[in-house]
Amino acid sequence: MKQITIAANWKMYLDESSSVDLIDKLNAEKELFLNKDIIIFPSHTCIRSVKDHLDIDLKIGMQDCDIHNKGAFTGSSSISSIDIHSCIVGHSERRIIYKEGNDVIAEKLGAVLASKADPILCIGETLEEKNDNLTESIINSQLSILPKDLKGRNLTVAYEPVWAIGSGDVPSNEYIHQMLSYIKNRLKSLYSDTDLENIKLFYGGSVDADNLNNLIGVELIDGFLIGSASANFEKFKDIVKQLKL
Ligand code: PGA
């Protein structure tokens, strides 16, 4: 049985004291979280405190990063500013709210791949695009920024239909399977079998303890990118309890 990854995207839900509070609760029940593949994505400003308070060896990531590594970029955060395991790029909230297009996301992906961190590239269609039968062409365009050669690097593609994020409207397993198969086939046309072994597929969008068990039934899913339910300790605990490995 493969090990399912849980990527906890705290977005901007938790300030420093709430982040530490969640970590304290997690430490108090650490047996549950040991030997699970969990990556926590705090706000940039809370990463240091989360790292300092964690009593167990969970992975920590960044929710986004700048395209630059260093320099006069007021208010931004570099991928190399702190030691982290992975970095999300192309989240739909960055694409839509901050108007990040494929060109910027490609540069961010490049910045992550040039660092030690593993990238998680988020892709997915809006409801309008879905209704206009544009899902596959949107996915193709969002995947078009992938490098020709992964050079042995790990990559995660997180399929997150925008209409499923924060809405409680989770697609059927059949729909997710169909989309992940499509994505996998695109990746197969780009990469060698060796590269494909380093690529994981995640699903994200309204995942919680009530639907996780059913979603794990989608064979192509290697992990989940979870937003609001991951930023609440009780809900997060209920999710992690369902992991067999
Ligand atoms: P959600 O967010 O779990 O709150 O729907 C998922 C995401 O945006 O990654």
Side-chain angles (χ1 to χ4, degrees):
M1 202 198 288
K2 71 179 164 199
Q3 187 171 35
I4 293 288
T5 305
I6 297 291
N9 175 13
W10 288 358
K11 307 193 179 188
M12 209 172 73
Y13 288 125
L14 303 178
D15 61 15
E16 189 176 21
S17 76
S18 320
S19 300
V20 169
D21 192 48
L22 196 152
I23 296 300
D24 284 343
K25 289 181 180 149
L26 193 152
N27 286 337
E29 298 190 45
K30 62 177 150 210
E31 286 67 32
L32 176 62
F33 300 90
L34 290 171
N35 306 317
K36 303 280 185 343
D37 194 33
I38 295 174
I39 319 169
I40 296 180
F41 296 85
S43 291
H44 294 345
T45 50
C46 303
I47 293 179
R48 181 75 265 151
S49 299
V50 165
K51 278 173 158 253
D52 289 348
H53 280 81
L54 253 183
D55 262 0
I56 56 170
D57 196 17
L58 300 186
K59 297 167 184 161
I60 305 293
M62 276 170 79
Q63 298 176 12
D64 185 46
C65 68
D66 198 274
I67 61 175
H68 306 95
N69 222 10
K70 204 171 187 160
F73 305 103
T74 303
S76 216
S77 295
S78 160
I79 184 72
S80 59
S81 57
I82 190 160
D83 189 25
I84 40 125
H85 175 272
S86 44
C87 181
I88 299 171
V89 293
H91 190 281
S92 62
E93 284 149 19
R94 300 300 314 177
R95 292 180 192 265
I96 296 167
I97 305 170
Y98 298 98
K99 310 272 184 283
E100 289 182 8
N102 259 347
D103 45 350
V104 171
I105 295 163
E107 289 197 69
K108 291 189 172 187
L109 181 64
V112 180
L113 285 170
S115 78
K116 283 187 302 184
D118 293 338
I120 299 182
L121 173 67
C122 297
I123 61 170
E125 79 285 7
T126 63
L127 188 58
E128 202 181 1
E129 289 160 349
K130 177 174 184 272
N131 291 340
D132 289 345
N133 287 322
L134 291 173
T135 302
E136 290 184 358
S137 70
I138 290 295
I139 284 175
N140 282 340
S141 136
Q142 293 174 336
L143 288 177
S144 69
I145 66 162
L146 288 173
K148 300 261 168 313
D149 186 353
L150 272 184
K151 299 186 179 133
R153 295 297 310 270
N154 294 324
L155 167 75
T156 296
V157 176
Y159 172 59
E160 300 204 296
V162 180
W163 49 273
I165 295 178
S167 63
D169 193 5
V170 181
S172 65
N173 283 12
E174 291 67 33
Y175 186 82
I176 299 174
H177 173 78
Q178 195 188 326
M179 297 324 304
L180 292 184
S181 303
Y182 184 78
I183 294 164
K184 187 140 200 171
N185 282 333
R186 297 292 307 157
L187 295 169
K188 274 188 187 157
S189 71
L190 282 173
Y191 295 118
S192 65
D193 287 351
T194 328
D195 275 340
L196 288 170
E197 278 172 25
N198 297 327
I199 303 181
K200 284 186 173 183
L201 296 180
F202 285 7
Y203 166 77
S206 295
V207 177
D208 61 23
D210 294 334
N211 56 33
L212 185 92
N213 225 349
N214 176 48
L215 289 168
I216 287 177
V218 181
E219 216 183 296
L220 288 172
I221 292 181
D222 298 306
F224 297 94
L225 186 53
I226 308 182
S228 64
S230 76
N232 170 297
F233 180 70
E234 292 306 322
K235 290 185 183 172
F236 187 52
K237 189 169 95 174
D238 287 346
I239 287 169
V240 174
K241 265 187 194 163
Q242 293 187 43
L243 300 175
K244 309 275 181 298
L245 280 173

